[in-house]
Amino acid sequence: MSIKLKREGYGLAMTLGHLCCDINGGALPAILPFLMVERGISYSAAAGLTFALSSLGSLIQPIFGNMADKHSRPWMMSVGIILAGCGVSLLGFLNSYWAMFLAVMLTGIGSALFHPDGGRMANYVAGEKKGRGLSNFSVGGNLGGAIGPMLVVFGITTFGLRGTAILAVPSVLMGGFLLMQSRELAAFAQEGSNATKVAMQAGQKDDWRSFFKLTGVVFLRSTISTGMTTFIPLFWLNVLMQSESVSSTTTTIISIAGSVSTLIGGRLADRYGFNRVIRTGLVCVIPCMIVVILSRSVILSTIMLVPMAMTLYLAFSPSVALGQKLVPNHIGLASGITMGLASSFGGVVSPVLGRIGDSTGLPVVLWILVGTAVLACVGSFFVPDAPPAVQAVPQEEKTNSQAAS
């Protein structure tokens, strides 16, 4: 028996679903130190688990996105959330490294099942406010990444390593709730698919050339985002000479500021245009990054983390929404690429930057990220804004017009 919600309620459900799905990926980095101490895995083995999560799941997201465009299966979102939670939650019960690897892969596959259809459904239930709807959906993932570490650390410190099982609770509950809503979600999907078919008959086309230009900018922005969360804490630790606990708080500051900015970015995009907001964020993030790198004042650098994160994340949800508008006939595929492949690209580049940091020093890595921001900023000026929506003529009016003529 399902609970009937208002349209806005389904938008909130998509946001909470995104949160419960991404709790698990966010929790993995917090689990790794416990696995290293209690299971004796090495640094390279820990990195292998991270790679299994970020790369596999992200790379197959476009495949599931393309499947969602051809035939919507809302129940796949529910299965995805449940698999994402069950995979990582098993880590505390496993002794074999390859069993751990497979468990993390399960989480990656679950995440890949959820995101394309979730992004597509968030688009459909948003109505005319696409930027707002996608920003709400995106911030759910940001909050999940922030809540995951806190939840799993609570579970492990309270129940021991097997406390990783606590991650399955929100995933199973949310997955079960969305499964009960499958009929209503299928109706939204059918409504969206019908609108797309009518618009295609009226001349709506995909602008793949502009979409791939946007994808390049999104990949560069993802590299900056991943680099910030990876190397800024190390910069605080090794260059600004702060303690481990103080250095770790930089990730929390970036996450909170980024979540707030994600909400703001979508709303601004609805009012002022998607690409204008993307360009503004990428232009403003450059001086903020430079101040953080050059300053040796802990107070000033910490203060500047807020505008640096906010200007970078300002472009996130407008990029996802713009991608869907550029290829409106393949919304699921667009979501899989802008949310999935982008994440994997940042994860693949990060180890390369780490090797550069080992050989030349951490400030060099941060200057490379500044250069990446400049490239992303320049690239954004080659991406057109969202095309006007095709105004499809209803079939009845079309028939009456033909009869009159």
Side-chain angles (χ1 to χ4, degrees):
M1 181 178 179
S2 64
I3 302 173
K4 188 76 173 180
L5 304 175
K6 293 182 178 179
R7 194 181 194 100
E8 296 79 8
Y10 289 104
L12 177 60
M14 289 298 98
T15 299
L16 293 176
H18 198 184
L19 186 154
C20 292
C21 184
D22 283 13
I23 276 177
N24 305 288
L28 180 61
I31 300 174
L32 293 178
F34 294 98
L35 293 179
M36 294 178 73
V37 172
E38 299 195 29
R39 295 290 189 264
I41 69 172
S42 64
Y43 286 112
S44 59
L49 294 179
T50 302
F51 180 80
L53 176 72
S54 63
S55 298
L56 175 66
S58 298
L59 288 172
I60 62 177
Q61 276 193 42
I63 298 174
F64 289 122
N66 191 48
M67 290 170 58
D69 286 325
K70 293 179 179 179
H71 184 71
S72 182
R73 302 174 181 87
W75 57 266
M76 288 180 65
M77 294 187 295
S78 305
V79 173
I81 295 174
I82 294 171
L83 288 179
C86 291
V88 172
S89 67
L90 291 173
L91 288 177
F93 298 84
L94 303 174
N95 293 312
S96 164
Y97 173 73
W98 290 111
M100 297 179 195
F101 193 90
L102 291 174
V104 173
M105 282 180 61
L106 187 65
T107 291
I109 293 171
S111 178
L113 277 170
F114 171 78
H115 281 89
D117 232 330
R120 185 170 175 263
M121 195 64 63
N123 178 293
Y124 290 154
V125 301
E128 296 299 318
K129 302 289 186 180
K130 302 299 184 188
R132 179 177 180 176
L134 267 297
S135 69
N136 291 343
F137 178 74
S138 300
V139 83
N142 293 343
L143 291 175
I147 293 172
M150 294 185 288
L151 180 63
V152 78
V153 168
F154 167 77
I156 293 175
T157 54
T158 303
F159 304 105
L161 192 56
R162 293 189 174 186
T164 56
I166 198 172
L167 294 170
V169 176
S171 298
V172 170
L173 291 176
M174 193 66 213
F177 174 77
L178 288 181
L179 194 60
M180 291 190 298
Q181 300 297 321
S182 291
R183 180 176 297 179
E184 288 75 15
L185 293 173
F188 282 115
Q190 188 61 49
E191 176 187 317
S193 296
N194 291 340
T196 298
K197 290 177 182 177
V198 173
M200 288 175 66
Q201 292 172 356
Q204 175 175 275
K205 296 182 179 180
D206 292 326
D207 185 357
W208 288 107
R209 183 175 182 180
S210 296
F211 177 77
F212 286 122
K213 290 179 181 178
L214 173 67
T215 301
V217 174
V218 172
F219 278 20
L220 293 172
R221 199 209 67 85
S222 171
T223 300
I224 304 165
S225 177
T226 304
M228 280 172 46
T229 55
T230 302
F231 299 108
I232 287 294
L234 300 180
F235 183 78
W236 251 245
L237 181 69
N238 298 318
V239 178
L240 298 183
M241 306 304 293
Q242 298 302 295
S243 67
E244 291 89 339
S245 58
V246 171
S247 301
S248 297
T249 60
T250 59
T251 303
T252 303
I253 293 172
I254 292 171
S255 177
I256 294 174
S259 298
V260 172
S261 184
T262 298
L263 282 175
I264 295 172
R267 286 154 176 79
L268 291 177
D270 282 331
R271 176 173 294 186
Y272 299 109
F274 295 90
N275 216 6
R276 183 174 296 179
V277 174
I278 294 171
R279 291 169 184 170
T280 300
L282 293 175
V283 167
C284 293
V285 74
I286 297 170
C288 296
M289 294 175 70
I290 291 174
V291 172
V292 170
I293 296 171
L294 292 179
S295 173
R296 291 301 179 263
S297 167
V298 177
I299 295 176
L300 176 60
S301 294
T302 302
I303 291 173
M304 289 304 298
L305 281 180
V306 175
M308 183 180 75
M310 292 193 72
T311 50
L312 180 63
Y313 281 85
L314 195 69
F316 179 67
S317 57
S319 297
V320 177
L322 179 57
Q324 293 181 342
K325 284 181 171 289
L326 289 173
V327 286
N329 303 327
H330 294 85
I331 292 177
L333 179 58
S335 301
I337 292 175
T338 54
M339 288 191 292
L341 278 180
S343 299
S344 69
F345 187 82
V348 169
V349 173
S350 188
V352 177
L353 294 176
R355 291 186 180 183
I356 294 174
D358 288 334
S359 59
T360 62
L362 204 52
V364 174
V365 173
L366 297 183
W367 282 114
I368 291 175
L369 293 177
V370 171
T372 304
V374 172
L375 288 175
C377 177
V378 172
S380 68
F381 285 88
F382 291 91
V383 181
D385 212 337
V390 173
Q391 298 299 320
V393 179
Q395 188 63 38
E396 311 87 57
E397 295 183 17
K398 199 176 198 181
T399 303
N400 293 337
S401 175
Q402 290 174 345
S405 61

